[in-house]
Amino acid sequence: MTAFALDDPFDRGSGLPRPGNLLRTTADSIPPSGLVLLAIFSVQLGAGFAKELFATLPPSAVVFLRIAAGALIMGSLVRPRLKGLAWRDWAVGLGFGVTLALMNLAFYEALSRLPMGIAVAIEFLGPLGVAVAASRRRIDLLWVGLAAAGVALLAPWGQSASVSWAGIGFAMVAAVGWAAYILLSAAAGRRFPGTSGLSFAMIVSAVVIAPVGVATGGGELLQPELLLIGLGVGLLSSVIPYSLELQALRRMPKHVFGILMSVEPAVAALIGVLLLGELLRAQQWAAIICIVAASLGSTRMAKRRK
């Protein structure tokens, strides 16, 4: 199922193909593994462009631009259906939106203090924690140990480096937010039709982050160039990858999807090198490899348990 699937492939008013169906038709011609990799590169390119904005805007203002752009686009394509929702449905939807806002704010604060590959690697501890928590196998302790070793290798133990404790702390908060996001996303999927729960959460997220983003960004947020870049970040970081991932999940087993997603920290490090010139030391690459291996291992074991 896709976020933008519509019954009629053409807009009755203009006679032109609808954007969602054009995206779906294009995606159907690409292998599902290719869709996942495209989604990963899209997310990390969006993060790279967002990080370049930190020279002009604080992270909180950049987060606001990203979320507001994503909410505007998603809200126009997938309108939330709120009629007839119970109070528990509202609680899940609101919690989902608040979590989305805090997770992104923490990640961008980490991104302003850490190289991309390191920030994403630490954030990946969130989904890894969810996978391990659902397990009862002793071998999962190996993946926990690998992840812990990765974090230990990243920490600036008594030395000046490109890694800061504050950055690691924000990345850890983002990891917790990602774990909560996974759980709330599943709950929203059960309570909201289609992908309207995600659309609702993004709108809530934009409202939550707006006061902080506007206060810190000020008049700079009105610059056309920054607004255009913010729109691009929203597309690359939210709308495009969400749609590609949903298309991929329609056509491939979830455990394969999880295995492919495990390479995201390595892709983030590569984008950091190519786009931002963030060269990492051998020790930092080893740390990222440890966390990627832990994610791959836990995903493969989750497949075997089923």
Side-chain angles (χ1 to χ4, degrees):
M1 183 174 62
T2 172
F4 307 125
L6 298 171
D7 294 331
D8 184 358
F10 291 89
D11 187 313
R12 292 188 176 89
S14 64
L16 298 174
R18 290 180 173 178
N21 286 278
L22 283 175
L23 182 60
R24 181 178 61 179
T25 301
T26 302
D28 284 342
S29 65
I30 301 174
S33 57
L35 293 177
V36 177
L37 293 176
L38 284 174
I40 291 172
F41 274 96
S42 179
V43 168
Q44 298 312 321
L45 278 175
F49 288 131
K51 187 163 185 174
E52 289 193 322
L53 284 177
F54 293 163
T56 306
L57 293 172
S60 54
V62 179
V63 171
F64 170 63
L65 283 179
R66 171 200 165 164
I67 292 178
L72 179 64
I73 297 169
M74 282 289 290
S76 63
L77 293 174
V78 185
R79 295 182 181 179
R81 300 178 184 178
L82 306 179
K83 186 176 180 180
L85 293 178
W87 70 267
R88 289 186 178 85
D89 302 329
W90 279 96
V92 169
L94 292 172
F96 192 14
V98 172
T99 297
L100 190 61
L102 296 179
M103 176 185 72
N104 281 287
L105 179 59
F107 176 68
Y108 274 42
E109 290 289 351
L111 201 60
S112 69
R113 295 168 171 84
L114 301 173
M116 272 183 59
I118 294 176
V120 174
I122 295 174
E123 189 192 27
F124 240 73
L125 298 178
L128 175 61
V130 172
V132 171
S135 170
R136 296 293 183 270
R137 297 175 64 98
R138 291 182 179 179
I139 194 172
D140 286 307
L141 295 175
L142 171 62
W143 316 131
V144 173
L146 266 177
V151 174
L153 286 171
L154 291 175
W157 303 110
Q159 61 181 350
S160 59
S162 57
V163 176
S164 70
W165 285 112
I168 290 176
F170 277 116
M172 288 288 192
V173 172
V176 173
W178 196 353
Y181 170 89
I182 292 171
L183 299 176
L184 286 168
S185 177
R190 293 190 295 268
R191 294 178 178 274
F192 290 81
T195 55
S196 61
L198 175 60
S199 180
F200 176 55
M202 292 187 69
I203 293 171
V204 171
S205 179
V207 172
V208 169
I209 205 68
V212 178
V214 172
T216 57
E220 298 292 329
L221 290 171
L222 300 178
Q223 292 187 27
E225 181 181 356
L226 296 182
L227 289 174
L228 185 60
I229 296 175
L231 178 62
V233 170
L235 281 168
L236 288 170
S237 300
S238 300
V239 179
I240 292 175
Y242 287 158
S243 61
L244 292 176
E245 289 168 6
L246 286 170
Q247 283 283 355
L249 281 168
R250 291 173 58 235
R251 298 158 53 194
M252 70 191 311
K254 288 185 178 180
H255 73 272
V256 177
F257 176 85
I259 289 171
L260 290 171
M261 288 296 293
S262 298
V263 305
E264 190 160 355
V267 173
L270 180 61
I271 295 293
V273 171
L274 298 177
L275 183 63
L276 304 172
E278 296 177 340
L279 300 178
L280 302 179
R281 301 193 307 272
Q283 178 178 326
Q284 294 169 331
W285 278 109
I288 291 173
I289 290 171
C290 283
I291 294 174
V292 169
S295 180
L296 282 169
S298 65
T299 302
R300 289 182 63 84
M301 292 308 300
K303 179 234 178 178
R304 293 181 183 180
R305 288 193 294 268
K306 292 182 179 179

